[in-house]
Amino acid sequence: QLQLVESGGGSVQAGGSLRLSCAVHGYIYSVYCMGWFRQVPGKEREFVSDINSDAIASYADSVKGRFTISQDNGKNTLFLQMNSLKPEDTAMYYCAAGWGHCWRGVFGYWGQGTQVTVSS
């Protein structure tokens, strides 16, 4: 069982930066995938980025070149560095994790979310 706790959200002007963190509590298996999703009220949850146990990352086209996913050495904290933020990045951001290779259905554990608001 995992518990994921996000932090680091807030309000920022367009062009600014934020760094989201996700503290991962519980046992982490050797093959895993961790990622970030976001959701705007009234819309479906959207994939942002993920990283696997081999440290291979992938990104949605909308954030490629602006966002960077990473982990600490102990794999207990997941980060999302968000630069050059745009108003359309405004959303609730969720941390997610699962056992196995990265694919959209792997994520069985979710955090409560942290709000990111980007003003123009």
Side-chain angles (χ1 to χ4, degrees), residues 9-58:
S11 297
V12 64
Q13 288 193 324
S17 298
L18 282 174
R19 189 192 198 201
L20 304 184
S21 298
C22 173
V24 181
H25 302 281
Y27 181 79
I28 300 172
Y29 289 89
S30 58
V31 179
Y32 62 83
C33 182
M34 295 187 184
W36 292 94
F37 289 75
R38 64 187 182 188
Q39 189 170 23
V40 175
K43 292 191 176 182
E44 289 191 359
R45 189 165 51 197
E46 175 188 26
F47 167 77
V48 175
S49 178
D50 62 27
I51 188 167
N52 66 15
S53 41
D54 293 323
I56 297 172
S58 65

Side-chain angles (χ1 to χ4, degrees), residues 33-110:
C33 182
M34 295 187 184
W36 292 94
F37 289 75
R38 64 187 182 188
Q39 189 170 23
V40 175
K43 292 191 176 182
E44 289 191 359
R45 189 165 51 197
E46 175 188 26
F47 167 77
V48 175
S49 178
D50 62 27
I51 188 167
N52 66 15
S53 41
D54 293 323
I56 297 172
S58 65
Y59 299 91
D61 288 342
S62 58
V63 307
K64 208 170 286 184
R66 299 188 298 122
F67 290 11
T68 302
I69 192 170
S70 63
Q71 293 177 276
D72 69 344
N73 287 337
K75 311 280 193 293
N76 295 107
T77 308
L78 182 70
F79 302 101
L80 185 69
Q81 178 67 43
M82 305 186 295
N83 299 329
S84 303
L85 283 162
K86 304 175 181 179
E88 51 263 43
D89 294 319
T90 295
M92 184 72 78
Y93 281 72
Y94 297 92
C95 174
W99 311 132
H101 300 291
C102 286
W103 67 288
R104 295 299 171 263
V106 73
F107 300 102
Y109 300 96
W110 295 85

